[in-house]
Amino acid sequence: MGDKRQRARVQGSWAKPLPKPARPTGRQGPKTILVYKLAGVYEISQGPTGVSRLRLLPRFLTMEEADWMLATLLAELPWSQKTNYGMMGEPYEEPRLTCWYGELPYTYSHSTLQANPQWHPVLTTLRQTVERETSHTFNSLLCNLYRDGKDSIAWHSDDESSLGPHPTIASLSLGDTRVFSLRKKPPPEENGDYKYVEKLRVPMSHGTLLVMEGCTQDDWQHQVAKEYHDRGPRINLTFRTTYPEPEQPSNR
């Protein structure tokens, strides 16, 4: 009798229906963040635009070379804090110091760095060394100085029209280690939602060279985030090739 009552209770109209299984979607949970530390060539994605590729060379410079270059460039480059402008024209100070070398001016974040063809001799030597290693030629250089862990650069791509299609960027790090993060741009149907995209991290240690090639600037963003513990200064030298900006059509 007890078994019959139990079955009746379970089958009775008051019993709660079992929950329906969740309908599968195209999304998966947040992906594991891959960390690249070892020297190598990494194809990080391949899609309609082409292949995105990283070349990582830790200890590209010896410790002695990197130490000397860090001290020299900290003391002798014309570092300054650039003022950028937001979409509504609001000014803000970059949370780092910069300087620019190249025959052409360079514009990003609605603010222009003027042409500066007088390369520091150390930078000329480094450019030649990087060109031999990468088999690319570069005519310009954006130098970034992260004074401590509070200095940073937000998510962005180096995709300005002055860099041409599929630009190659060679990034040389001097000083304290900072994490260089990358994230894949979401497909159009995600409406800019980065929650489920692929993410990578590269600890950029003293003397490390990282080369971004192919479609990396088309398909990925990168950043150096703020850190909330002590960090010493770090210089990031980003060699690139720039072209004259397209002329704007006249309003006449």
Side-chain angles (χ1 to χ4, degrees):
M1 180 64 73
D3 290 343
K4 290 182 179 179
R5 288 198 188 102
Q6 184 67 25
R7 285 198 298 271
R9 281 183 179 178
V10 172
Q11 295 170 359
S13 60
W14 55 269
K16 293 182 179 180
L18 293 173
K20 294 181 179 179
R23 180 178 297 177
T25 66
R27 288 182 172 183
Q28 299 176 352
K31 298 180 183 296
T32 301
I33 299 176
L34 298 178
V35 179
Y36 292 157
K37 294 182 179 180
L38 302 178
V41 178
Y42 302 95
E43 291 192 357
I44 56 176
S45 67
Q46 184 168 4
T49 55
V51 175
S52 298
R53 184 183 300 106
L54 301 179
R55 278 200 269 172
L56 180 61
L57 293 92
R59 298 183 295 279
F60 177 69
L61 300 176
T62 67
M63 188 65 66
E64 292 76 16
E65 290 172 331
D67 286 346
W68 180 80
M69 289 178 180
L70 174 65
T72 301
L73 299 179
L74 278 173
E76 298 182 8
L77 295 193
W79 301 107
S80 64
Q81 191 163 28
K82 182 172 178 277
T83 300
N84 293 336
Y85 297 89
M87 296 300 295
M88 305 303 294
E90 68 280 10
Y92 64 93
E93 301 294 319
E94 281 188 332
R96 62 192 177 280
L97 304 184
T98 58
C99 57
W100 171 255
Y101 292 89
E103 297 284 345
L104 297 170
Y106 182 49
T107 299
Y108 66 92
S109 298
H110 309 285
S111 175
T112 299
L113 294 164
Q114 296 304 315
N116 177 18
Q118 302 301 318
W119 286 63
H120 190 287
V122 171
L123 299 178
T124 299
T125 300
L126 280 174
R127 180 181 68 179
Q128 294 167 350
T129 303
V130 170
E131 287 177 339
R132 285 194 297 270
E133 176 64 38
T134 63
S135 299
H136 289 284
T137 57
F138 303 101
N139 65 6
S140 51
L141 169 64
L142 178 61
C143 309
N144 294 290
L145 171 55
Y146 300 85
R147 295 161 290 184
D148 53 34
K150 297 182 178 63
D151 276 359
S152 64
I153 187 168
W155 287 113
H156 70 287
S157 300
D158 295 322
D159 55 3
E160 291 80 20
S161 59
S162 63
L163 297 176
H166 310 319
T168 294
I169 309 291
S171 175
L172 179 62
S173 189
L174 300 168
D176 210 345
T177 299
R178 295 292 295 270
V179 174
F180 184 81
S181 301
L182 298 100
R183 65 180 184 181
K184 186 87 160 50
K185 294 180 183 179
E189 61 269 20
E190 296 296 338
N191 297 314
D193 184 357
Y194 282 84
K195 184 176 182 181
Y196 297 97
V197 300
E198 296 173 66
K199 296 178 182 178
L200 312 173
R201 289 180 182 167
V202 183
M204 294 291 288
S205 57
H206 195 35
T208 293
L209 178 67
L210 177 69
V211 185
M212 295 180 281
E213 298 176 316
C215 297
T216 305
Q217 305 305 323
D218 300 289
D219 291 345
W220 293 75
Q221 290 185 331
H222 52 271
Q223 73 160 357
V224 176
K226 295 181 187 298
E227 297 188 18
Y228 296 95
H229 47 271
D230 290 340
R231 287 292 186 195
R234 177 211 178 215
I235 290 176
N236 183 41
L237 305 175
T238 57
F239 296 92
R240 56 193 68 205
T241 301
T242 54
Y243 304 91
E245 292 274 9
E247 291 187 8
Q248 298 297 323
S250 173
N251 293 327
R252 294 180 182 177

